[in-house]
Amino acid sequence: MKKSGFTIAESLLVLFITTFLFILSSNLQQLDSSRYELKLVTDEFLVQMEHAQNWAIITGEGVKVEVLRTVEGNQIQFKVERSGDNSIFHTIQTPESVSFTNFGHFWVKSDTGYVAPMTIEFKTKHQKKVITLQMGMGRHIVKDYE
C-alpha cells in the first residue's frame, strides 16, 4: 500500500517559512508603531507650542516648557507662570520608544509669545524628527530623517 501525504522535511519547511513570515511581520509592526508614536508626539508638541504662544499673547502670562523624567517615563510639561506660582497648563506623556534631546526647559514669553530660536530632536531607533523653532514667533521647520 502506498500512502500519500507530506514528508517530515516538507512539513518542517512549511513550518520554517511560516515562522519566518510571522517574525518578519512582527518586526515591521513594531517599526511602524514607533513611527506613529514619533509623529504623534511631535505633532502634539507643535500644537501645544502654538497653544502656549496664543495663551501668552492673550493673557499676558508666560508659559514654561520643561522636560520631566519620572518613573512612568518622560513628560513634557507646559506650565503657566502666575505670580511666581507655576500651574500645569498641559502635559505630554512620551512613549518609551521616543526620546528627545537639546532642551531641558525654555520659556514662551508673556505678552509677545516669543520663543528663543532652538533645535529639538525627537527620535526612535529608526527615525528622527528635528524641529527648528525660528524667529521667535512660532515659525518652525520639521525635518524627517530615516
Side-chain angles (χ1 to χ4, degrees), residues 46-115:
L46 291 172
V47 165
Q48 291 308 319
M49 278 298 300
E50 184 177 344
H51 192 113
Q53 287 179 309
N54 291 340
W55 180 271
I57 291 168
I58 292 169
T59 66
E61 298 173 328
V63 178
K64 182 179 183 182
V65 181
E66 70 179 332
V67 173
L68 296 177
R69 302 192 192 293
T70 65
V71 176
E72 297 87 28
N74 294 329
Q75 295 179 343
I76 302 172
Q77 281 193 345
F78 294 78
K79 296 179 179 181
V80 175
E81 175 192 357
R82 288 192 178 114
S83 311
D85 177 36
N86 290 336
S87 58
I88 295 175
F89 181 68
H90 188 78
T91 300
I92 300 172
Q93 183 70 39
T94 60
E96 290 180 22
S97 65
V98 177
S99 62
F100 39 88
T101 57
N102 299 352
F103 81 94
H105 73 276
F106 61 90
W107 285 90
V108 177
K109 297 200 182 211
S110 59
D111 296 325
T112 62
Y114 178 82
V115 177

Side-chain angles (χ1 to χ4, degrees), residues 20-34:
F20 177 75
L21 291 174
F22 178 74
I23 290 171
L24 181 65
S25 68
S26 173
N27 287 340
L28 290 175
Q29 168 71 26
Q30 193 174 30
L31 176 64
D32 220 25
S33 66
S34 68

Side-chain angles (χ1 to χ4, degrees), residues 114-144:
Y114 178 82
V115 177
M118 71 175 63
T119 300
I120 303 170
E121 288 182 6
F122 291 85
K123 59 185 173 180
T124 64
K125 272 185 172 179
H126 306 286
Q127 189 179 17
K128 175 170 67 169
K129 283 188 180 257
V130 177
I131 298 174
T132 304
L133 301 174
Q134 296 182 330
M135 299 180 67
M137 295 304 292
R139 291 198 52 210
H140 62 272
I141 297 171
V142 180
K143 293 183 181 177
D144 292 321

